[in-house]
Amino acid sequence: MSKKPIIVFEGIEGSGKSHHISAVSKYLDKKRISYIKIREPGGNLNSEKIRRLILNNKSDFNKNTDLLLYLAARSENINTIKNSYKKKILLIDRFTDSTIAYQHFGMGVDINLIKTLNKFLLKNIKVDFTFLNVVNKRNLYSRLKKRKSLNRYDKFDMSFYRKVQKGFIKLSNINKKKYQLIDSNLDIKENEHLILSIIDRLIK
Ligand code: TMP
């Protein structure tokens, strides 16, 4: 049996990440290919409880508490990931890059601390491929304005999201072969087509 990949979807708010992950799920469903889809923070009952706590508009945690809560949510997903690692396709809506992009590049938490904690949780688990959805300044503004139910992390100013996006791009430049940038200013169907062609290659 061929080894099944971990495929991650990353990007700031309004970058089209959720649209594309659901297009990939529908594609796999249609082909009757089994996969596991999780989102972070969240994914299972405990992790979803932590998600509600972090993103609740009434929460007012400091950046280190946020980091530890995101990691706590990840910790609750680790068994699911470990049990299917290389056996089932795993689609993950945000993962370790989000923690570095938001908590380090966005909020200034020490990057080595984040890497150590991620390593502690993940051990030998490695992401095979990441689709990084990027959005330009004008579209970011209009997309953020259009969002209906805003959570605590939807309300930062534009400069914060720009820092986070730059951070994501920096991470993708470290190992370009494992990333595909998806420019959300381009035609959505063409992007979908590109993503699905890469998915075909990753799962064959
Ligand atoms: P979502 O709305 O795309 O599910 O993401 C929830 C928010 O959590 C989003 O603003 C990004 C943020 N986040 C972090 O700040 N650090 C993390 O490690 C993760 C997984 C998400």
Side-chain angles (χ1 to χ4, degrees):
M1 193 181 73
S2 64
K3 292 190 176 121
K4 306 292 185 222
I6 294 189
I7 303 166
V8 175
F9 295 76
E10 294 280 15
I12 56 172
E13 281 66 6
S15 63
K17 171 180 65 66
S18 306
H19 169 86
H20 289 305
I21 197 165
S22 87
V24 171
S25 314
K26 280 186 200 140
Y27 178 72
L28 296 176
D29 287 340
K30 213 165 136 193
K31 291 188 128 199
R32 295 178 190 273
I33 295 172
S34 65
Y35 63 92
I36 289 180
K37 182 167 85 170
I38 52 182
R39 67 168 179 180
E40 286 213 348
N44 63 34
L45 209 67
N46 289 336
S47 190
E48 288 290 334
K49 278 187 197 165
I50 302 169
R51 178 188 174 93
R52 281 196 289 280
L53 183 64
I54 311 173
L55 298 179
N56 190 304
N57 281 316
K58 290 187 185 134
S59 293
D60 181 23
F61 302 120
N62 68 45
K63 60 187 183 183
N64 292 327
T65 309
D66 271 5
L67 169 71
L68 295 170
L69 287 172
Y70 281 115
L71 267 294
R74 183 158 304 140
S75 170
E76 287 297 319
N77 275 329
I78 283 301
N79 275 344
T80 314
I81 297 174
K82 263 190 197 149
N83 292 340
S84 10
Y85 187 46
K86 296 194 193 294
K87 292 186 212 118
K88 259 200 178 160
I89 299 167
L90 269 157
L91 304 180
I92 312 185
D93 187 345
R94 295 194 183 283
F95 202 40
T96 48
D97 280 6
S98 269
T99 321
I100 298 178
Y102 282 82
Q103 276 63 54
H104 170 66
F105 288 107
M107 297 180 165
V109 179
D110 180 61
I111 193 167
N112 290 320
L113 171 65
I114 300 174
K115 285 185 176 169
T116 304
L117 291 170
N118 271 329
K119 181 99 195 106
F120 169 75
L121 289 179
L122 266 68
K123 307 278 186 308
N124 63 340
I125 293 170
K126 290 207 167 58
V127 170
D128 294 281
F129 200 83
T130 301
F131 292 99
L132 172 56
N133 295 264
V134 291
V135 58
N136 73 13
K137 210 163 136 182
R138 189 163 40 87
N139 280 8
L140 170 62
Y141 182 70
S142 64
R143 282 164 185 232
L144 280 178
K145 259 183 38 182
K146 264 190 230 147
R147 296 198 122 196
K148 286 181 206 97
S149 59
L150 295 183
N151 67 45
R152 185 174 154 241
Y153 263 65
D154 289 326
K155 293 180 177 166
F156 295 114
D157 59 27
M158 296 274 289
S159 67
F160 174 80
Y161 297 109
R162 288 215 294 277
K163 273 195 283 186
V164 172
Q165 178 159 283
K166 272 192 188 161
F168 272 127
I169 294 171
K170 255 191 195 163
L171 293 173
S172 74
N173 283 332
I174 297 170
N175 192 350
K176 286 191 177 154
K177 275 193 285 186
K178 289 193 160 196
Y179 287 83
Q180 175 66 51
L181 262 60
I182 301 297
D183 180 349
S184 62
N185 307 307
L186 301 180
D187 181 72
I188 196 162
K189 283 284 160 202
E190 273 177 35
N191 280 339
E192 238 175 81
H193 189 72
L194 171 65
I195 292 172
L196 295 181
S197 67
I198 296 171
I199 291 285
D200 275 340
R201 194 188 78 215
L202 292 168
I203 63 175
K204 77 169 181 235

